[in-house]
Amino acid sequence: MKELDDDELQELLNNGLVPDNKTLSDEDKDDLLAYQNLFTALSTEPEQGLPMSFAANVRRKLQEQANRKSDLRFNLLALAIFAAGLTLAYGLLSVMSPENGDMFLSAVISFKWVLLVLVAGFVGYLFIDQRLVKRSY
């Protein structure tokens, strides 16, 4: 006996043929039962729709994400301003008095690890904060 295709199975279901009919092969019975279960499941409606606050929740999450991007830009800008401030201070001190410029540079170089740890901690904090926010979405 040839295997039934989808249209034939649908026609058999519409005519009221049940999956335990003896004229069908085992494969056809399984297919007919699967179709019957599928259409039974499709005919039922979901028990609950979207909550009334769904749009507000989506908008709030999008706004939080936009705020986080803005915060990240602000923090990176603050980091750039800090670096530019150190550079500007060295430049001005070097112009006014080369000895003071050299003293400032030697102070920055002697405390380079402290500055690098502060900058790395700041960037690490930003990275971890962004990861945690991303995970909560």
Side-chain angles (χ1 to χ4, degrees):
M1 181 174 181
K2 74 174 188 96
E3 189 173 322
L4 299 174
D5 64 359
D6 294 342
D7 293 332
E8 292 170 338
L9 287 171
Q10 182 62 39
E11 188 177 327
L12 289 174
L13 276 178
N14 289 340
N15 292 336
L17 187 65
V18 291
D20 59 355
N21 191 324
K22 303 218 186 294
T23 61
L24 297 174
S25 68
D26 289 338
E27 271 186 37
D28 291 337
K29 287 179 185 179
D30 292 340
D31 290 343
L32 193 60
L33 183 60
Y35 259 84
Q36 190 175 29
N37 291 337
L38 172 69
F39 283 104
T40 302
L42 288 176
S43 66
T44 60
E45 292 185 20
E47 293 180 24
Q48 180 179 357
L50 293 174
M52 296 297 281
S53 63
F54 179 74
N57 291 341
V58 169
R59 183 174 180 173
R60 181 180 46 81
K61 293 228 183 222
L62 289 175
Q63 187 63 40
E64 286 175 0
Q65 189 176 14
N67 289 345
R68 287 291 174 191
K69 285 181 181 178
S70 175
D71 290 346
L72 179 63
R73 286 186 199 124
F74 173 76
N75 292 333
L76 291 177
L77 180 64
L79 185 64
I81 289 172
F82 176 72
L86 285 177
T87 305
L88 183 64
Y90 171 70
L92 288 175
L93 285 172
S94 293
V95 168
M96 292 172 24
S97 171
E99 296 86 27
N100 288 341
D102 291 339
M103 192 172 23
F104 178 77
L105 185 60
S106 66
V108 168
I109 290 174
S110 65
F111 290 105
K112 68 183 172 221
W113 295 114
V114 173
L115 290 172
L116 287 175
V117 166
L118 287 174
V119 169
F122 183 70
V123 171
Y125 170 75
L126 292 176
F127 181 74
I128 290 170
D129 184 48
Q130 290 298 315
R131 289 287 182 185
L132 291 175
V133 168
K134 191 176 184 181
R135 188 182 312 163
S136 69
Y137 285 124

